[in-house]
Amino acid sequence: MTDTFTLNQQLAKDCIVLGSLGDSLLLLLNNSLVPWFILVPRTNACEIHDMPAEEQQRLFAEMMELARFVDNEFKPDKVNTGAIGNMVRQLHVHIIARYEDDYCWPQVVWGRPEKKVYTQKEIDRIVTRLTSRLKERFVVDQNLNK
């Protein structure tokens, strides 16, 4: 993992930094219409296949841990996982809970104008759930409530 990690400005603008999950920064897209988490590994690699094998394995484990959390906590009809990166080149992985009655099912959620920002109470509830379920693997960002 890199010591010179800086979060992409677009991700910082669109997301709430919840904390860290293992070696990755854990973000929540600030749109409560669907639970949409983003893992940003602390690496300079732009593609998963460019990461050293041991970093790939750690990222995959974090992805699976977060996907299980999303599945267990939000009970979606489908969990979407993707690392697209056309607009934001910094390597990041989306873990999204989808429901057959959500605002754009069965279409993709990317690029849609519909938005409902999270309240602080909703954010606190998600952080509590992450802390409870993921224990020491999830570390809350110290600036979250500032």
Side-chain angles (χ1 to χ4, degrees):
M1 296 292 136
T2 183
D3 291 335
T4 59
F5 176 82
T6 303
L7 182 61
N8 174 277
Q9 289 181 340
Q10 190 65 50
L11 289 174
K13 177 180 170 268
D14 293 343
C15 299
I16 300 157
V17 177
L18 298 176
S20 296
L21 181 59
D23 293 331
S24 296
L25 198 58
L26 178 56
L27 312 178
L28 177 66
L29 187 76
N30 197 5
N31 185 354
S32 66
L33 294 177
V34 293
W36 185 333
F37 296 87
I38 300 174
L39 280 174
V40 185
R42 290 179 177 90
T43 180
N44 289 326
C46 289
E47 307 292 346
I48 295 172
H49 64 265
D50 290 334
M51 297 171 74
E54 57 278 355
E55 289 182 18
Q56 290 176 10
Q57 292 170 354
R58 286 194 302 267
L59 175 59
F60 186 77
E62 293 162 5
M63 291 165 52
M64 296 306 98
E65 189 170 22
L66 184 56
R68 281 189 293 274
F69 168 81
V70 169
D71 199 28
N72 290 327
E73 293 294 322
F74 295 96
K75 308 292 187 216
D77 296 311
K78 179 78 173 77
V79 176
N80 291 168
T81 303
I84 307 300
N86 293 342
M87 301 295 286
V88 173
R89 297 286 178 156
Q90 182 173 41
L91 179 58
H92 62 287
V93 179
H94 302 263
I95 310 281
I96 309 165
R98 294 297 310 272
Y99 303 91
E100 292 178 2
D101 62 352
D102 72 35
Y103 71 103
C104 62
W105 180 274
Q107 305 303 315
V108 298
V109 292
W110 281 273
R112 298 290 299 239
E114 298 90 346
K115 186 172 182 177
K116 181 182 173 208
V117 299
Y118 279 96
T119 65
Q120 189 59 53
K121 184 176 180 180
E122 290 170 320
I123 296 166
D124 292 344
R125 183 169 180 249
I126 289 170
V127 167
T128 298
R129 293 161 82 178
L130 282 161
T131 302
S132 173
R133 173 138 343 233
L134 302 182
K135 308 286 186 225
E136 69 281 348
R137 297 271 304 137
F138 172 68
V139 178
V140 178
D141 186 323
Q142 297 303 309
N143 298 313
L144 184 61
N145 292 315
K146 293 182 181 175

